[in-house]
């Protein structure tokens, strides 16, 4: 049974009490994918199945996931066209639906919570896909791809975000089967499944048809977020044992010339775009140029522990313990991108200094015969600090570390001083080049004219606000150079000379900053008013203040469930069918600990009521004053208790609680139990103090390699 290389863009769902059936009406000769109910067994059927009622048409199958009591097929019910690249339409996931395998769904508090976590992630996470184009890979990697492979096999594993929930379909396709209960082992390959496997990317995508100096072009910005070690701001930092770093993103800036295939119309059903060119001008080559940058957390073991204080507690483990993991990380980075220019933007003073020193120590360990140099000026005693090898005797000698004191050099909104960093990077940027290719419609592939052989990997503490400024600057420089090389711009000109394009460029990169920031910190990026307009505004400052307060609240009280959603969707946590066992999402802290915030709220309410109460002219005021003072003292004590014992009130992840969070929680609870006055209220609840509340830590864990 032959397979289709590209996913179906039109799928009908048929449902019955015994199965779900998925068919493509535009390809009637294709087999039907059948998912048996309630077992979840997969099979292919030649032709349509009788007895099943057509439920709806969908844009694609996101995957199959097993929760505590049931399996669910997650389908994409609504997708929004975002634009074309070389004739290939890209879509954004707008709405999804869960199809339960049990005919009568069972209700359970944990199951309902799992549902809520996944639906929130799917609703808020920007996900994109294409039926005919591999958006998980850069143009340079696509040029090296084997087009005889189906689309999902060509996808970059790091950015194939629904890879885990596609596991059962991929196992079935490969004829292997799964160790999961209820999934039969199948002998032989099943290429007919290929067209049902749709790779989805998480990140940012903007496709804009514009022009520079009367030259029409397509400007594209793509940011791909890695599915490995994905998480939220303070709950995912540093590196893991497999060499994956937190908040790793690959950003590709693309310019396409002589491509007139813009517009938002979709392809005709079942049409293949690999072997033809849509709308290209006859006699003119379709030029594709791209420039890739990366960002990712500092690759050592470190964490920032929430305690309800505005600035979390920083923990940095010994650098030697992370050497093996960091070798894995940079081995992959060098293999994929070539030379790595490691731009570090953390502060050289204060709490961030420890992260800076750990990074520099790691680079010294990795490279051969490290050579160091520094530059200073009136603003900074360490404006620039470079570490690189004096030889090229081994793989890691392709690492080039550049520290830039971003905080001091750009203080007072002097963003132009970031050009100091650009001047330092220029020799490496010129040598590293950029990708350039020409579309070859008869071959369905791009003919490579130039390759990018180096990448700039930028980080600050969060890899957000400071990183955004530097990446925007590098994107502007790379685009100017590309257009000068093509003759669109003359030597000495810049893309900023075109006011209309400058406005577009700034806004697209500011949108990118907001998307990356929302995915990690929960809010938009800071200082994007300057990125968009070139100047600071009062409204922008107020927005930054609002974002800072929102980040604090989200990071302490909302990021736990967000992290649980990531872990569940990406397979970092596997729910177990522990029917009748303890519920995971029940708050098992002692009642006394749980009651403190409610007492604080009651105190505020009482004080407010007493303050607003109208008094009779001749009434005595001292009883009311005593009442207010009493509740003020109670509220002040509650506030002080919460602030002092903040780790008891942070909303930690319930599925994969970090070890440092567990230790901190137990230590804080221990200090409360030892208190002569308060201990008696806590020890009465010894069964639910800490170990019970965090008993889920060892249950059902699994990290995807």
């Amino acid at each position: 049974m032959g397979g289709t290389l590209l996913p179906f863009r039109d799928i009908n769902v048929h449902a019955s009490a015994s199965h779900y059936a998925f068919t493509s009406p535009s390809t009637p000769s294709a087999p039907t994918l059948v998912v048996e109910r309630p077992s979840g067994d997969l099979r292919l059927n030649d032709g349509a199945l009788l007895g099943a009622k057509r439920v709806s048409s969908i844009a694609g199958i996101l995957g199959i996931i097993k929760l505590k009591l049931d399996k669910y097929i997650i389908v994409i019910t609504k997708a929004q066209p975002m634009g074309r690249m070389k004739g290939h339409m890209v879509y954004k996931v707008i709405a999804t639906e869960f199809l339960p395998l049990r005919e009568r769904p069972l209700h359970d508090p944990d199951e309902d919570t799992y549902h809520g976590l996944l639906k929130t992630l799917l609703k808020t996470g920007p996900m994109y896909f294409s039926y005919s184009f591999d958006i998980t890979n850069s143009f340079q990697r696509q040029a090296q791809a084997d087009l005889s492979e189906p689309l999902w096999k060509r996808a970059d594993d790091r950015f194939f975000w629904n890879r885990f929930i596609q596991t059962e379909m991929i196992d079935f396709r490969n004829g292997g089967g799964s160790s999961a209960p209820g999934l039969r082992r199948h002998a032989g390959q099943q290429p007919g499944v290929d067209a049902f496997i749709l790779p989805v990317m998480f990140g940012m995508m903007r496709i804009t048809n514009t022009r520079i100096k009367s030259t029409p072009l397509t400007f594209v910005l793509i940011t791909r977020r890695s599915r490995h070690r994905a998480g939220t701001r303070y709950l995912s930092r540093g590196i893991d044992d497999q060499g994956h770093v937190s908040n790793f993103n690959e950003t590709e800036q693309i310019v396409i010339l002589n491509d007139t295939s813009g517009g938002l119309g979709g392809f005709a059903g079942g049409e293949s775009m690999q072997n033809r060119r849509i709308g290209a001008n006859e006699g003119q080559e379709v030029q594709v140029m791209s420039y890739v940058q990366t960002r990712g957390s500092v690759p050592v073991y470190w964490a920032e522990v929430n305690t309800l204080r505005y600035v979390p507690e920083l923990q940095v483990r010994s650098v030697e313990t992370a050497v093996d993991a960091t070798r894995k990380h940079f081995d992959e980075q060098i293999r994929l991108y070539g030379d790595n220019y490691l731009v570090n933007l953390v502060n050289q003073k204060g709490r961030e200094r420890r992260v800076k020193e750990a990074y520099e120590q790691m680079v010294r360990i990795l490279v051969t015969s490290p050579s160091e140099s520094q530059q200073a000026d009136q603003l900074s005693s360490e404006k620039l600090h470079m570490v690189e090898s004096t030889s090229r005797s081994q793989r890691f000698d392709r690492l080039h570390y550049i520290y830039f004191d971003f905080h001091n050099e750009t203080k007072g909104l002097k963003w132009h001083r970031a050009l100091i960093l650009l001047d330092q990077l220029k020799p490496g940027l010129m040598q590293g080049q950029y990708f350039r290719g020409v579309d070859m419609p008869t071959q369905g592939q791009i003919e490579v004219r130039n390759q990018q052989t180096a990448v700039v990997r930028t980080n600050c503490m969060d890899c957000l606000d400071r990183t955004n400024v530097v990446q925007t600057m590098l994107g502007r420089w790379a685009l100017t150079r590309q257009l000068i090389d093509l003759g669109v711009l003359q030597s000495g000109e810049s893309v900023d000379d075109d006011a209309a394009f400058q406005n577009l460029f700034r806004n697209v990169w500011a949108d990118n900053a907001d998307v990356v920031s929302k995915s990690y910190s929960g809010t938009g990026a800071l200082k994007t008013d300057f990125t968009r307009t070139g100047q600071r505004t009062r409204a922008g400052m107020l927005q930054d203040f609002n974002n800072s307060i929102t980040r604090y609240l989200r990071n302490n009280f909302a990021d736990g469930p967000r992290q649980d959603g990531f872990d569940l969707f990406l397979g970092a946590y596997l729910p177990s069918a522990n029917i009748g066992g303890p519920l995971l999402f029940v708050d098992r802290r002692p009642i006394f600990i749980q009651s403190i915030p409610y007492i604080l709220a009651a105190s505020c309410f009482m004080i407010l009521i007493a303050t607003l109460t109208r008094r009779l002219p001749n009434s005595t005021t001292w009883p009311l004053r005593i009442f207010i003072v009493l509740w003020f003292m109670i509220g002040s004590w509650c506030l002080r208790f919460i602030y002092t014992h903040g780790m008891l009130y942070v909303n930690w992840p319930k599925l994969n609680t970090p070890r440092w969070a567990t230790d901190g929680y137990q230590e804080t609870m221990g200090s409360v139990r030892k208190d002569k006055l308060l201990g008696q209220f806590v020890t009465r609840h010894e069964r639910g103090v800490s170990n019970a509340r965090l008993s889920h830590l060892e249950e059902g864990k699994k990290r995807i390699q």
Side-chain angles (χ1 to χ4, degrees):
M1 187 180 296
T4 304
L5 297 181
L6 300 178
F8 292 134
R9 70 182 312 275
D10 53 345
I11 297 178
N12 286 341
V13 183
H14 305 260
S16 73
S18 61
H19 66 267
Y20 289 108
F22 300 87
T23 61
S24 173
S26 64
T27 316
S29 60
T32 298
L33 176 66
V34 181
V35 183
E36 301 287 356
R37 304 177 67 183
S39 66
D41 286 356
L42 303 176
R43 62 184 174 89
L44 291 176
N45 188 76
D46 291 327
L49 288 178
L50 299 177
K53 179 182 178 182
R54 180 179 177 275
V55 177
S56 65
S57 296
I58 61 173
I61 302 174
L62 197 61
I64 302 173
I65 190 167
K66 181 183 182 301
L67 300 181
K68 183 177 179 180
L69 301 178
D70 197 4
K71 281 184 181 179
Y72 301 85
I73 306 170
I74 307 177
V75 296
I76 302 170
T77 56
K78 185 177 181 182
Q80 175 186 350
M82 299 301 294
R84 291 184 186 274
M85 282 192 292
K86 291 173 65 269
H88 304 274
M89 182 61 69
V90 178
Y91 299 85
K92 182 178 182 180
V93 176
I94 300 299
T96 58
E97 185 176 340
F98 287 67
L99 305 179
L101 292 190
R102 293 183 183 274
E103 189 175 6
R104 295 181 178 179
L106 301 177
H107 292 286
D108 175 85
D110 281 350
E111 190 87 351
D112 295 340
T113 304
Y114 288 144
H115 264 274
L117 295 173
L118 291 172
K119 289 179 178 178
T120 299
L121 174 63
L122 293 171
K123 184 178 180 180
T124 59
M127 298 186 186
Y128 300 87
F129 66 90
S130 174
Y131 297 111
S132 57
F133 189 73
D134 180 12
I135 61 173
T136 68
N137 273 301
S138 66
F139 267 99
Q140 182 162 310
R141 294 196 297 273
Q142 288 185 50
Q144 303 164 355
D146 181 1
L147 296 184
S148 65
E149 294 281 1
L151 187 66
W152 70 268
K153 283 193 174 183
R154 288 179 256 150
D156 190 316
D157 182 72
R158 299 171 299 165
F159 309 124
F160 188 169
W161 251 71
N162 56 330
R163 176 62 178 81
F164 170 71
I165 60 174
Q166 289 280 5
T167 298
E168 294 201 7
M169 292 176 63
I170 291 174
D171 286 346
F172 171 60
R173 188 266 180 239
N174 292 332
S178 168
S179 59
L183 185 63
R184 290 197 309 242
R185 289 193 172 274
H186 296 265
Q189 299 284 320
Q190 301 288 339
V193 181
D194 287 334
F196 294 98
I197 302 176
L198 180 66
V200 171
M201 180 202 83
F202 187 109
M204 186 269 189
M205 170 79 69
R206 291 291 183 277
I207 304 173
T208 308
N209 296 315
T210 183
R211 60 181 60 241
I212 295 179
K213 293 185 64 177
S214 302
T215 301
L217 55 84
T218 302
F219 180 71
V220 184
L221 191 66
I222 306 175
T223 289
R224 307 173 177 98
R225 189 181 190 193
S226 174
R227 70 185 181 93
H228 300 298
R229 199 165 172 74
T232 59
R233 186 184 180 199
Y234 288 136
L235 297 174
S236 183
R237 295 290 212 194
I239 196 169
D240 64 16
D241 293 339
Q242 287 74 44
H244 305 132
V245 296
S246 300
N247 199 24
F248 183 85
N249 291 265
E250 175 189 86
T251 298
E252 183 179 18
Q253 180 179 273
I254 303 163
V255 172
I256 306 175
L257 279 78
N258 304 325
D259 181 15
T260 58
S261 59
L264 297 180
F267 298 137
E271 186 175 23
S272 170
M273 298 305 305
Q274 287 183 334
N275 297 318
R276 61 188 296 250
R277 185 173 49 173
I278 294 292
N281 294 335
E282 292 295 333
Q284 294 185 351
E285 294 179 324
V286 177
Q287 301 271 352
V288 178
M289 294 170 295
S290 81
Y291 182 71
V292 171
Q293 305 179 62
T294 63
R295 73 175 80 194
S297 192
V298 173
V300 296
Y301 293 131
W302 65 286
E304 288 186 283
V305 183
N306 284 340
T307 60
L308 293 191
R309 288 169 172 77
Y310 187 75
V311 179
E313 175 189 339
L314 178 64
Q315 295 181 358
V316 182
R317 285 174 56 185
S318 170
V319 172
E320 287 76 11
T321 62
V323 171
D324 289 342
T326 308
R327 286 182 186 275
K328 294 177 184 177
H329 174 68
F330 283 124
D331 185 71
E332 179 185 58
Q333 297 303 297
I334 293 170
R335 174 175 55 83
L336 291 172
Y337 302 109
D339 283 48
N340 273 234
Y341 289 84
L342 315 178
V343 174
N344 187 7
L345 304 174
V346 304
N347 293 340
Q348 60 161 309
K349 296 181 180 178
R351 60 192 295 273
E352 295 184 11
R353 182 180 182 86
R354 294 172 58 197
V355 176
K356 170 184 178 292
E357 292 175 343
Y359 199 176
E360 292 171 355
Q361 183 181 348
M362 179 62 73
V363 174
R364 294 188 193 102
I365 292 173
L366 293 180
V367 303
T368 305
S369 303
S371 172
E372 301 190 40
S373 60
Q374 293 187 19
Q375 297 180 20
D377 59 16
Q378 294 179 345
L379 297 175
S380 173
S381 60
E382 192 180 3
K383 176 178 67 174
L384 290 166
H385 183 182
M386 286 71 70
V387 182
E388 57 185 350
S389 175
T390 56
S391 67
R392 301 274 288 199
S393 59
Q394 50 112 359
R395 190 178 190 83
F396 298 112
D397 292 339
R398 302 181 71 179
L399 300 177
H400 313 270
Y401 174 87
I402 302 100
Y403 170 74
F404 177 60
D405 191 356
F406 187 93
H407 176 75
N408 285 319
E409 291 296 327
T410 62
K411 188 180 296 183
L413 302 179
K414 297 178 181 178
W415 304 117
H416 64 278
R417 292 190 60 81
L419 294 173
I420 296 171
L421 173 63
L422 178 60
D423 291 338
Q424 182 65 37
L425 287 169
K426 272 185 181 178
L429 295 175
M430 295 295 291
Q431 185 177 357
Q433 296 287 311
Y434 57 85
F435 174 79
R436 180 187 171 199
V438 175
D439 192 23
M440 304 296 290
T442 58
Q443 300 176 14
Q445 204 161 14
I446 292 178
E447 179 182 292
V448 178
R449 300 287 174 87
N450 196 58
Q451 288 198 346
Q452 182 177 342
T453 60
V455 72
V456 178
R457 181 196 189 277
T458 310
N459 74 268
C460 47
M461 289 294 279
D462 298 325
C463 303
L464 297 178
D465 308 314
R466 288 169 277 187
T467 299
N468 293 329
V469 173
V470 170
Q471 288 205 335
T472 303
M473 175 185 69
L474 295 176
R476 181 183 295 109
W477 180 88
L479 181 58
T480 297
R481 183 186 172 204
Q482 290 168 342
L483 296 179
I484 289 176
D485 290 348
L486 279 180
V488 176
L489 298 177
Q490 300 299 315
S491 179
E493 291 184 326
S494 168
V495 293
D496 285 345
D497 296 339
D498 187 315
F501 183 80
Q502 180 192 49
N503 181 64
L504 168 68
F505 181 89
R506 285 176 169 177
N507 279 282
V508 169
W509 272 96
D511 290 342
N512 178 68
D514 282 339
V515 169
V516 175
S517 181
K518 286 178 182 177
S519 301
Y520 193 50
S521 71
T523 74
L526 305 182
K527 300 180 178 64
T528 51
D529 60 320
F530 183 85
T531 307
R532 295 183 190 278
T533 65
Q535 59 184 356
R536 275 301 247 162
T537 63
R538 183 173 298 177
M541 293 178 184
L542 290 174
Q543 183 61 44
D544 283 356
F545 176 76
N546 177 67
N547 282 345
S548 297
I549 297 301
T550 304
R551 280 185 183 183
Y552 169 79
L553 295 174
R554 284 182 176 274
N555 297 161
N556 283 281
F557 305 115
D559 274 0
R562 287 183 64 220
Q563 184 68 51
D564 286 337
F566 283 124
D567 289 343
L568 192 60
F569 184 83
L570 297 173
Y573 178 87
L574 299 180
S576 58
N578 188 14
I579 301 177
L583 298 175
L584 288 181
F585 298 97
V586 172
D587 189 350
R588 292 189 174 86
R589 293 174 300 170
I591 298 298
F592 173 76
I593 299 297
Q594 296 183 47
S595 66
I596 298 297
Y598 296 99
I599 298 174
L600 174 61
S603 301
C604 295
F605 178 75
M606 292 297 184
I607 293 172
L608 180 65
I609 292 299
T611 304
L612 299 179
T613 298
R614 299 180 63 182
R615 295 182 291 274
L616 296 175
N618 299 324
S619 63
T620 308
T621 59
W622 66 265
L624 188 60
R625 291 177 179 174
I626 293 177
F627 181 83
I628 293 175
V629 170
L630 175 63
W631 280 108
F632 180 80
M633 292 175 63
I634 293 173
S636 299
W637 181 88
C638 290
L639 187 62
R640 180 179 178 276
F641 181 88
I642 292 172
Y643 188 77
T644 305
H645 304 86
M647 293 201 73
L648 303 181
Y649 296 97
V650 173
N651 192 356
W652 300 109
K654 303 299 191 299
L655 303 183
N656 287 336
T657 310
R659 178 55 57 189
W660 40 262
T662 308
D663 295 341
Y665 174 91
Q666 293 177 346
E667 181 180 348
T668 306
M669 185 61 74
S671 68
V672 176
R673 290 201 299 267
K674 292 177 182 177
D675 187 281
K676 294 182 180 179
L677 177 62
L678 303 178
Q680 57 182 326
F681 297 103
V682 176
T683 52
R684 296 174 185 174
H685 303 270
E686 190 70 33
R687 292 178 59 190
V689 172
S690 58
N691 292 332
R693 178 177 183 260
L694 302 172
S695 60
H696 55 272
L697 286 177
E698 303 303 326
E699 195 173 301
K701 282 187 180 180
K702 178 184 177 184
R703 278 284 170 195
I704 300 299
Q705 299 296 323

